[in-house]
Amino acid sequence: MVEIINGIQQIGIGVQDVKKVFNWYRKHLGFDILLFEDEAVASLMTKYTNGKAERRDAYLSLNMVGGGGLEIWQFKDRIPSAPKVPITYGDLGIYAMKIRCKNLFDMHEYLKQLKVDYLSEVKISDKYNSSFYFDDPFGNKVQMVEDSYVFSAQPTYNGGVMGAVIGVSNMESSVDFYKNMLDYTVVLYDGIEALNQNPSNRFRKVILKQERKHVGGFGDLFGPTHLELLQVLDSVPVKIFKDRLWGDLGYIHLCFDIYGMASIREKASRLKHSFTVDSSNSFDMGDAAGHFSYIEDPDGTLIELVETHKVPILKSLGLFLNLKNRNPRKTLPKWLVKSLSLHKVKKDL
């Protein structure tokens, strides 16, 4: 049976105002392709929403430079909860998303002019990609990472999501999970570091990369990805989503576009990371359709897996792209993927 990890499809962000978040990322970071907007009941996610099927709005936005998108997610009948204590570097879960950036210093200057919060200095490194951090206006931590991959040239300094910074409690078990479950077999960096603001607090950092031997579908749009795992060595980290629900404020999951869900289900069970949610056949998310499931990493961080079946190209004319019967090892023609630009939003919603 064939199983392929095509790349990071999106990172989920729980927010208070889905339109406000979409508008900011559209205007300032080039996530201007609104692939779908959908209002529905998350009936399969009750395991993570205290047994209640919650209504929600979800927008999926893309940056055509290349990379994963943003699934911007808002409860309809519940005020989302913020973390009870400020998130600390290395806490368990998704600490930050990584966004690829071909012009790191220009992007830094642009964000400085926007007066974003907690804008760090650019960290130049000869061991791994140079980068810097900032907080978006909604309290989400973002790492801009120097990366030259371009799917489609756009008038923006940055591309899409190329990975995540994830806090873990046991590095060996976490590396084993991401290596065997999601094919992150290349170790770009493994070292002990100290926080600049608190040198006594040491942590182990491991940066992983997928080999991408076989990539199909939208794999060229998603591009190569990195995961940065952090283990704090001198303190006890807390779970970022402790006593909160999936869909509350912050990064709720990391989603991979895959092919071969049945095979991946078997592997997950064999590796003792069985699916915790499984749509079983085909979900319908407004204008898109497919098969989705969830697994948990060793610390309970949620990983979504999506096998895409249908994507809207031009909804008004009834044009949809059916992926079910394509060669899963073959990427879509570039001109066809670029047609997603028909979903570009040019002004605030």
Side-chain angles (χ1 to χ4, degrees):
M1 297 175 69
V2 178
E3 59 179 64
I4 301 172
I5 308 294
N6 294 317
I8 291 175
Q9 184 192 90
Q10 40 92 351
I11 192 166
I13 313 176
V15 305
Q16 288 184 328
D17 187 331
V18 66
K19 288 186 178 180
K20 188 175 182 180
V21 176
F22 170 79
N23 289 337
W24 191 86
Y25 275 93
R26 177 200 68 81
K27 183 176 180 180
H28 298 297
L29 295 187
F31 286 86
D32 56 5
I33 307 300
L34 182 54
L35 192 61
F36 69 72
E37 50 183 302
D38 182 50
E39 181 179 337
V41 177
S43 56
L44 294 177
M45 299 302 294
T46 55
K47 175 182 174 68
Y48 299 108
T49 54
N50 277 348
K52 180 183 178 182
E54 295 280 1
R55 288 198 311 137
R56 58 95 179 114
D57 270 349
Y59 287 13
L60 180 59
S61 61
L62 301 172
N63 181 314
M64 293 302 289
V65 170
L70 308 176
E71 185 179 54
I72 308 168
W73 205 101
Q74 178 190 342
F75 283 116
K76 296 291 289 182
D77 303 316
R78 181 176 186 275
I79 297 174
S81 297
K84 293 179 173 55
V85 296
I87 297 170
T88 301
Y89 198 55
D91 279 347
L92 305 180
I94 301 173
Y95 175 81
M97 64 174 164
K98 289 174 170 280
I99 292 182
R100 62 171 32 96
C101 185
K102 59 185 184 291
N103 297 302
L104 201 63
F105 286 94
D106 289 343
M107 187 77 240
H108 190 273
E109 183 59 30
Y110 177 70
L111 291 168
K112 189 175 182 180
Q113 292 175 12
L114 286 182
K115 298 182 179 179
V116 297
D117 290 333
Y118 303 106
L119 178 64
S120 74
E121 295 301 317
V122 176
K123 183 174 182 179
I124 304 296
S125 174
D126 57 1
K127 297 176 181 177
Y128 45 82
N129 300 53
S130 299
S131 64
F132 67 85
Y133 278 97
F134 71 96
D135 281 14
D136 73 10
F138 319 101
N140 302 299
K141 297 186 181 302
V142 181
Q143 185 191 49
M144 281 287 174
V145 183
E146 188 171 50
D147 186 78
S148 60
Y149 184 84
V150 174
F151 171 75
S152 175
Q154 302 291 321
T156 179
Y157 298 129
N158 64 281
V161 176
M162 66 173 288
V165 181
I166 302 173
V168 305
S169 61
N170 183 298
M171 188 60 75
E172 278 69 29
S173 63
S174 293
V175 168
D176 184 68
F177 169 82
Y178 287 104
K179 174 182 177 181
N180 294 317
M181 194 69 236
L182 295 167
D183 298 336
Y184 279 87
T185 55
V186 180
V187 178
L188 295 177
Y189 175 77
D190 184 349
I192 306 297
E193 299 187 2
L195 290 171
N196 291 334
Q197 61 269 38
N198 185 8
S200 64
N201 199 352
R202 299 175 308 125
F203 60 93
R204 181 178 173 191
K205 175 190 291 186
V206 175
I207 301 177
L208 302 173
K209 180 181 179 180
Q210 288 174 312
E211 286 190 77
R212 287 171 61 87
K213 291 179 180 177
H214 304 292
V215 177
F218 291 94
D220 286 344
L221 172 63
F222 300 140
T225 64
H226 292 178
L227 294 183
E228 182 174 325
L229 307 182
L230 295 172
Q231 181 184 352
V232 175
L233 302 177
D234 304 306
S235 62
V236 179
V238 300
K239 285 195 173 186
I240 291 173
F241 269 83
K242 178 178 171 59
D243 298 325
R244 297 194 299 139
L245 306 187
W246 176 84
D248 279 338
L249 300 182
Y251 295 113
I252 59 177
H253 63 238
L254 184 63
C255 175
F256 291 85
D257 187 272
I258 63 97
Y259 176 86
M261 188 70 81
S263 178
I264 292 177
R265 183 193 294 113
E266 289 182 9
K267 181 169 74 170
S269 179
R270 187 171 67 250
L271 295 175
K272 303 190 185 308
H273 290 283
S274 297
F275 288 2
T276 59
V277 176
D278 189 352
S279 69
S280 296
N281 190 1
S282 185
F283 74 88
D284 185 1
M285 186 174 276
D287 301 326
H291 180 178
F292 77 89
S293 63
Y294 279 79
I295 54 177
E296 297 180 4
D297 84 353
D299 294 294
T301 300
L302 283 176
I303 305 297
E304 184 181 14
L305 306 169
V306 171
E307 187 170 47
T308 305
H309 296 162
K310 182 184 76 170
V311 174
I313 298 297
L314 194 56
K315 181 183 175 184
S316 61
L317 296 179
L319 296 178
F320 291 84
L321 179 61
N322 189 328
L323 299 173
K324 290 195 73 171
N325 299 317
R326 292 192 75 258
N327 181 349
R329 300 181 188 274
K330 188 176 181 180
T331 56
L332 290 162
K334 200 167 186 177
W335 66 265
L336 185 56
V337 179
K338 284 184 175 181
S339 70
L340 296 178
S341 294
L342 293 168
H343 296 272
K344 179 174 287 191
V345 177
K346 298 180 179 179
K347 60 182 181 180
D348 284 353
L349 298 177

